[in-house]
Amino acid sequence: MDTAVARVADWWRRVLASDVLHSFRSSRLVMLSAAVAAIYFSGAMLAPWLAPQDPFDLAKLQLLDAFTPPVWMEGGEARFPLGSDNQGRDVLSTIMFGSRVSLLVGVASVLFAMLLGVTLGLISGYVGGSVDAFIMRVADIQLSFPAILIALLIDGMVRLAIPGSRHTELAVLVLILSIGLSFWVQYARTVRGVTMVEKNKEYVLAARVIGVPPALIMLRHVLPNVMGPTLVIATINLATAVITEATLSFLGVGVPPTQPSLGTLIRIGNDFLFSGEWWITIFPGAALAILVLSVNLLGDWLRDALNPKLR
Amino acid sequence: MADPLLKVEDLKVEFPTRRGTLVAVDGVSLHIDPGEVLGVVGESGAGKSMTGNAIIGLLEPPGRVAGGRILFEGRRIDDLPYEEMRKIRGRHIGAIFQDPLTSLNPLYTVGRQLIETIRTHDEAVGETDARTRALGLLREVGIPAAEARIDHYPHQFSGGMRQRVVIALALCANPRLIIADEPTTALDVSIQAQIIALIKRLCREHGTAVMLVTHDMGVIAETADRVAVMYSGRIAEIGPVREVIKHPRHPYTVGLMGSIPKVGQRREKLTQIEGTMPRLNAIPRGCAFNPRCPKVFARCREERPDPRPTPGGAVACWLNAAAGRPA
Amino acid sequence: MSSAPRLVEITDLKRYFDVSSPWLNRVIEGRPRQIVKAVDGVSFGIAKGETFSLVGESGCGKSTVARLVVGLYPPSGGRIAFEGKEIGEDRTARAQVQSRMQMIFQDPYASLNPRWRVEDIIAEPIHTRKLIEGKKAIRDRVGELLSQVRLAPADMDKYPHEFSGGQRQRISIARALAGQPEFLVCDEPTSALDVSVQAQILNLMVELQQKFGLTYLFISHNLAVVFHLSTRVGVMYLGKLVEWADTAHLFERPRHPYTRMLLDTIPDLDLTGRQRQPVGGEVPSPINPPSGCSFHPRCPFATERCRAEPPNLRDVSGSSVACHAVEEGRI
């Protein structure tokens, strides 16, 4: 027990003294992005408690409230700080609930891509030979199709295979799988490269001489070394995944309208953009842009901080 | 005695870091006479390369000269602006580094690099004349079939041949002093011997002085006239090679010499200096060697010893204050 | 010489590396396959308790031999026997003897996982082979091993970056000892270290050898270190063993011209003023080694026969030498 406490304390000391934390503290932009991202994540997670209104509770919606402009405009109401949409839903609340769906799909698809990519990359790099050649050729082929196209393809196939009503239930899952599948190549390639470097390091050779089984070597020696670059890709990918989800939802093949994400909100609002109710689409759009920007800035910083040679 | 070619007085090199300032070179004084080979020997972290880099003005930032003076031919060079220093470097002071690849541009043929170096130092030289001189230099440093090799790229040369090209580059402007930082470390033993012989011959023929920075006492013994032994950024002992190797005065030099295995003298155990050289952020008070010194006494822990004269050199050790020599 | 029981016996060991360009390039550009014969027919035996050293310049294949012996590469040909039992490609035979050998590497910075604590690093063989059970018992054992390599048992809670190069090499040695080996393969264990630290490590290695009755296969390019440490020495050149003999004999009466050349490169620390005759030329590319004796382009004694016919190892008054000139009595 004592050693466990000591280990945690030791780890914390190392974090506090690390260069990563130092570079975090020395950049205001990075701290700002981190704060914005944190607000998004907590806002999304706590939406049911924080949001002024539950936009999915049909009983509370009043069609009379539809198209209320934002509070600072003429006719605005305090109940709807950012105005309301065509069904009388509070735009701020829909953004909070929408970010929830967007972030859920984004994070889950990144995790899925990471799991797949890291595993395949480790195997490819460590085993080498024809296994490596096969995995990398599949990756090459996959890379020649744009991510959106792959996601559309998978979505289309699932729609054919599964009847309509079931499909709505599975929509989020399908979305996660299809976005995740289109991102794994990046992880696999990076991890493969790192693995090929690490596996020839003398400490891995030492483990082989000791007789440690290959799976354990990959897990205990190689994997911790690939986590740095993987984390960087994951952060930058999270932004891309959120955008991809928004694009798919905007095109109408994403999440069902009953569970709107930021992309769905933008699509719905888009219909009213030219009739003067601009807030319905502009606010979710701005929310998406700020989220993606802050996550991207964080990713860029992380890349530089973890790899000082790039600077 | 004629004026020394290079005089370093009380040189101090600092590295400001986030966790405090590290002193990499602390009060180093030495001189090099024209045509002389001065060996600077020490273990990694002793500050020997840093001293060489400070002299040619190539300290990597944030490192900087924080004190002392460097005089070349009587002229102070440590406070020159970058452009001025760049002109001195190459024309008057040449440099040879450990890894020949970093000194050569991979995108140009060795001939192109030699010709350009010759022409930057002497703008009056025409293209054809410069090529003739480049060819002459390549032959001089012992590159076989120089006529064909002059148009080859660095990667087409072996490690030993590349180091020869680097030496040719350093010789382009016929400098009075060459700083050679571990010039043979990356090479195989048989090539090492060839390069050492080459450096010795060139010095003799051109009257070039060399500051030979290395960790290898063997290279020093074969090449240098005098040697400075460095420890923790300070000079422990300096003097004629024969004197320092045969009669080391500083306990560190004694230990260092004893720890080198020698062919022909089978010993059960090598002399061992206990412990390791202190890190730059933990250099002890007094003499930097005191925690590892077998002959340490109270004064060593309190006061830093100043260099005291010995025959042809100096030693920084309290033992020698009473002219005594460690047994 | 061959009467002592052999712990390790290596016969005609070969390892070829395929360095050809990718298949598609070969087919389209019509390039041939390129094979590097890193180790090309090496035979020697190591007696129990002795130190057998392999010396040579970079690219001579000495490190490849070390890696073949510990099973990091499968051999392309030849046999490795441990206590008379062959362990080539046979996995079960390999696994059985694997636990009795360990390896120490050159680079003290790369040979320890920077993310692991010293305790975990040293305990890796213990965990892998389940030599000791129980957290407390393992910690005690790691502490004991650290003391054996002259480090403090309290150092086990630190990370590798907190140690100097020499201390890290001690940790490497402690990890090797943790597996309770009889046979240690040391691949240039001191060439990345400063001389005073090298002396500490060499002294430690000699001490441990006597204490545990270890057998060493020692790989080095430093002849003085090899002289100091070894019982017998083999000299390698371009993948082949050109000469081997008892240490004193080899250094007193080198027979092969390459051995003579190597010995001549040892710096003269006694300042006797000996004039050296540096041999010209360099080690040729192992992709296209010279015909016949691969040393002939640099050899002052080369004849037509040397250019045509590769020499075999022959016993010549206490040494084994692969040289036509020696065989013909010309040198």
Side-chain angles (χ1 to χ4, degrees):
Chain A
M1 203 51 221
D2 268 358
T3 56
V5 172
R7 271 186 197 214
V8 170
D10 182 51
W11 177 82
W12 186 239
R13 240 196 348 269
R14 277 165 32 107
V15 167
L16 284 184
S18 72
D19 293 337
V20 176
L21 192 75
H22 177 78
S23 88
F24 180 76
R25 283 217 194 113
S26 53
S27 166
R28 280 200 193 160
L29 184 64
V30 171
M31 293 213 285
L32 184 72
S33 324
V36 170
I39 290 171
Y40 268 97
F41 273 90
S42 46
M45 260 189 293
L46 303 174
W49 298 277
L50 287 182
Q53 184 198 45
D54 183 354
F56 304 119
D57 188 353
L58 293 174
K60 293 209 179 115
L61 295 181
Q62 301 269 324
L63 266 181
L64 283 177
D65 294 332
F67 301 122
T68 315
V71 65
W72 59 87
M73 287 174 65
E74 209 183 321
E77 288 179 47
R79 282 192 297 142
F80 306 112
L82 298 178
S84 71
D85 68 0
N86 56 335
Q87 293 173 48
R89 297 187 292 199
D90 171 34
V91 171
L92 178 65
S93 304
T94 53
I95 288 174
M96 288 175 82
F97 278 88
S99 313
R100 200 176 151 90
V101 178
S102 288
L103 282 174
L104 171 78
V105 172
V107 170
S109 58
V110 164
L111 284 180
F112 174 64
M114 216 163 105
L115 191 72
L116 193 66
V118 170
T119 312
L120 289 176
L122 273 178
I123 293 170
S124 192
Y126 194 84
V127 179
S130 49
V131 177
D132 174 38
F134 177 74
I135 294 177
M136 281 304 116
R137 289 304 80 75
V138 172
D140 285 347
I141 294 165
Q142 163 122 41
L143 260 200
S144 55
F145 295 100
I148 296 266
L149 198 64
I150 293 173
L152 280 172
L153 206 71
I154 295 171
D155 187 73
M157 288 196 300
V158 174
R159 265 167 211 272
L160 275 179
I162 301 170
S165 60
R166 290 278 317 281
H167 177 260
T168 321
E169 292 163 28
L170 290 171
V172 172
L173 202 63
V174 169
L175 206 56
I176 289 169
L177 283 182
S178 49
I179 296 176
L181 263 184
S182 57
F183 282 144
W184 69 271
V185 174
Q186 236 182 320
Y187 297 90
R189 285 198 161 171
T190 311
V191 169
R192 170 177 175 267
V194 177
T195 307
M196 297 213 303
V197 172
E198 290 301 316
K199 82 166 177 185
N200 287 319
K201 288 234 177 110
E202 290 180 350
Y203 70 86
V204 174
L205 297 183
R208 281 175 57 196
V209 174
I210 286 167
V212 182
L216 263 187
I217 292 182
M218 278 195 255
L219 209 64
R220 303 191 61 196
H221 286 291
V222 183
L223 188 64
N225 284 295
V226 306
M227 285 331 281
T230 305
L231 198 65
V232 172
I233 306 177
T235 318
I236 294 170
N237 246 346
L238 177 60
T240 323
V242 168
I243 291 270
T244 309
E245 181 279 327
T247 313
L248 289 174
S249 297
F250 184 83
L251 294 174
V253 288
V255 291
T258 49
Q259 242 184 320
S261 72
L262 287 176
T264 327
L265 294 178
I266 297 170
R267 186 193 64 199
I268 297 169
N270 195 31
D271 299 338
F272 309 104
L273 187 59
F274 293 106
S275 56
E277 288 88 13
W278 53 267
W279 57 87
I280 307 176
T281 189
I282 292 294
F283 286 124
L288 179 71
I290 293 168
L291 171 67
V292 168
L293 184 65
S294 61
V295 171
N296 253 337
L297 286 172
L298 273 182
D300 282 350
W301 160 75
L302 205 59
R303 185 188 58 209
D304 295 349
L306 292 182
N307 192 354
K309 280 177 209 136
L310 284 178
R311 266 179 292 186
Chain B
M1 202 168 89
D3 277 346
L5 179 67
L6 178 86
K7 203 164 169 135
V8 176
E9 292 171 353
D10 206 23
L11 180 72
K12 194 170 181 182
V13 174
E14 285 184 351
F15 274 79
T17 69
R18 196 147 62 76
R19 298 183 182 91
T21 301
L22 303 177
V23 182
V25 177
D26 192 0
V28 163
S29 301
L30 50 84
H31 72 272
I32 302 175
D33 288 325
E36 178 190 42
V37 179
L38 174 76
V40 177
V41 72
E43 303 184 86
S44 42
K48 53 189 194 304
S49 293
M50 217 64 89
T51 308
N53 287 350
I55 291 169
I56 39 177
L58 284 180
L59 280 176
E60 261 180 53
R64 60 191 169 88
V65 175
R69 301 197 304 164
I70 302 169
L71 299 152
F72 180 73
E73 293 180 323
R75 177 179 171 213
R76 193 157 173 195
I77 57 167
D78 57 292
D79 53 357
L80 289 181
Y82 183 81
E83 263 312 295
E84 294 268 311
M85 191 60 217
R86 200 182 58 82
K87 281 184 194 151
I88 289 185
R89 200 162 52 222
R91 192 171 304 181
H92 302 292
I93 306 180
I96 303 169
F97 296 106
Q98 173 174 346
D99 180 4
L101 263 189
T102 56
S103 314
L104 296 171
N105 186 332
L107 300 177
Y108 293 100
T109 63
V110 299
R112 188 78 256 140
Q113 296 182 53
L114 282 164
I115 290 165
E116 251 157 44
T117 316
I118 290 168
R119 295 192 68 193
T120 29
H121 293 310
D122 190 352
E123 279 151 25
V125 181
E127 176 82 24
T128 7
D129 286 347
R131 193 179 163 89
T132 318
R133 257 178 73 185
L135 260 176
L137 280 168
L138 287 179
R139 281 197 206 104
E140 198 176 350
V141 296
I143 299 219
E147 289 79 6
R149 300 293 267 166
I150 191 168
D151 293 319
H152 285 186
Y153 289 88
H155 70 91
Q156 291 167 292
F157 290 79
S158 68
M161 286 296 151
R162 258 182 231 140
Q163 197 59 295
R164 287 171 194 266
V165 173
V166 172
I167 293 174
L169 263 177
L171 286 175
C172 277
N174 225 337
R176 311 264 336 259
L177 173 68
I178 289 179
I179 311 272
D181 191 349
E182 305 269 10
T184 60
T185 306
L187 306 173
D188 269 323
V189 278
S190 65
I191 314 299
Q192 258 182 30
Q194 294 171 10
I195 298 289
I196 291 173
L198 173 68
I199 293 178
K200 264 161 83 175
R201 178 167 64 81
L202 292 173
C203 284
R204 227 179 21 242
E205 287 170 5
H206 291 250
T208 315
V210 176
M211 178 170 152
L212 181 66
V213 177
T214 179
H215 69 281
D216 190 341
M217 237 344 167
V219 173
I220 299 274
E222 295 273 326
T223 325
D225 301 310
R226 285 188 305 128
V227 58
V229 181
M230 287 191 72
Y231 186 83
S232 278
R234 307 163 185 188
I235 291 184
E237 178 164 6
I238 185 167
V241 165
R242 177 167 284 276
E243 195 65 24
V244 171
I245 288 183
K246 291 273 188 192
H247 311 290
R249 286 175 165 81
H250 197 288
Y252 174 63
T253 323
V254 175
L256 195 65
M257 292 309 303
S259 64
I260 303 173
K262 292 186 193 79
V263 170
Q265 312 168 10
R266 187 87 188 224
R267 289 174 292 170
E268 193 55 31
K269 248 186 127 166
L270 298 164
T271 314
Q272 194 167 312
I273 312 175
E274 296 301 332
T276 44
M277 182 147 43
R279 291 188 178 193
L280 288 180
N281 55 10
I283 295 176
R285 240 164 82 90
C287 172
F289 188 58
N290 85 64
R292 303 174 69 192
C293 184
K295 300 187 179 297
V296 65
F297 54 98
R299 194 176 185 187
C300 308
R301 298 195 184 93
E302 296 302 322
E303 267 179 89
R304 181 174 161 186
D306 286 322
R308 278 154 203 284
T310 56
V315 58
C317 178
W318 289 124
L319 268 183
N320 295 273
R325 188 184 283 177
Chain C
M1 204 180 300
S2 53
S3 56
R6 296 289 172 82
L7 185 69
V8 179
E9 186 80 56
I10 282 156
T11 321
D12 201 26
L13 190 65
K14 292 186 175 119
R15 172 68 202 188
Y16 299 163
F17 289 103
D18 190 345
V19 293
S20 324
S21 15
W23 175 79
L24 210 58
N25 297 46
R26 283 208 311 274
V27 170
I28 294 173
E29 293 161 22
R31 289 197 215 167
R33 260 186 181 281
Q34 289 189 310
I35 306 288
V36 172
K37 297 180 175 177
V39 176
D40 194 16
V42 167
S43 308
F44 61 88
I46 308 174
K48 219 171 164 59
E50 77 166 346
T51 301
F52 188 95
S53 292
L54 285 177
V55 286
E57 299 181 274
S58 50
C60 72
K62 55 190 193 300
S63 287
T64 311
V65 170
R67 289 176 180 207
L68 284 165
V69 171
V70 295
L72 282 174
Y73 300 138
S76 310
R79 294 196 310 275
I80 305 168
F82 195 84
E83 282 186 336
K85 224 195 286 170
E86 193 174 319
I87 45 158
E89 289 145 55
D90 184 0
R91 283 198 173 196
T92 48
R94 169 55 74 183
Q96 271 168 11
V97 294
Q98 190 74 50
S99 63
R100 299 168 64 184
M101 52 173 80
Q102 285 292 332
M103 185 162 178
I104 300 169
F105 294 88
Q106 174 177 3
D107 184 352
Y109 292 87
S111 56
L112 307 177
N113 189 337
R115 290 159 203 275
W116 285 22
R117 288 177 327 122
V118 169
E119 180 191 348
D120 301 321
I121 291 172
I122 295 179
E124 196 174 23
I126 302 176
H127 286 301
T128 306
R129 292 210 207 101
K130 304 196 170 53
L131 295 174
I132 304 172
E133 303 281 345
K135 217 171 144 55
K136 173 83 171 58
I138 290 176
R139 270 182 81 82
D140 288 347
R141 171 75 180 134
V142 170
E144 184 194 351
L145 287 161
L146 279 170
S147 314
Q148 275 168 3
V149 298
R150 304 272 178 284
L151 289 171
D155 285 337
M156 73 172 86
D157 290 319
K158 294 185 183 163
Y159 287 87
H161 71 89
E162 296 172 69
F163 296 90
S164 68
Q167 289 169 325
R168 286 176 201 227
Q169 207 59 307
R170 287 167 193 266
I171 296 171
S172 264
I173 294 173
R175 171 177 58 192
L177 292 179
Q180 295 166 346
E182 296 155 51
F183 177 53
L184 265 185
V185 177
C186 314
D187 187 4
E188 306 248 13
T190 63
S191 57
L193 305 175
D194 283 315
V195 276
S196 73
V197 182
Q198 167 171 285
Q200 295 172 357
I201 299 294
L202 291 179
N203 285 342
L204 177 68
M205 286 180 60
V206 171
E207 184 195 318
L208 293 171
Q209 180 168 38
Q210 287 161 358
K211 195 166 167 185
F212 299 110
L214 298 169
T215 306
Y216 288 151
L217 170 60
F218 191 86
I219 311 291
S220 180
H221 68 275
N222 187 328
L223 289 149
V225 168
V226 162
F227 174 82
H228 175 75
L229 206 70
S230 349
T231 326
R232 288 186 299 146
V233 180
V235 180
M236 284 188 74
Y237 189 76
L238 274 185
K240 287 195 166 106
L241 205 54
V242 296
E243 175 166 6
W244 65 264
D246 287 349
T247 306
H249 192 79
L250 186 100
F251 279 81
E252 266 161 37
R253 285 212 64 191
R255 305 303 299 258
H256 197 283
Y258 179 65
T259 315
R260 294 168 179 223
M261 188 210 85
L262 272 187
L263 291 187
D264 204 44
T265 62
I266 301 172
D268 176 16
L269 270 173
D270 291 326
L271 302 164
T272 51
R274 167 175 61 101
Q275 273 305 305
R276 296 201 299 184
Q277 199 63 55
V279 170
E282 304 186 352
V283 182
S285 154
I287 295 180
N288 282 311
S291 62
C293 170
S294 48
F295 189 61
H296 84 253
R298 300 172 78 187
C299 182
F301 309 103
T303 60
E304 220 28 71
R305 186 180 172 206
C306 301
R307 281 183 265 277
E309 181 191 333
N312 292 319
L313 276 173
R314 281 193 176 78
D315 287 345
V316 183
S317 56
S319 306
S320 248
V321 190
C323 177
H324 293 314
V326 171
E327 189 200 341
E328 292 161 9
R330 286 191 283 123
I331 48 172

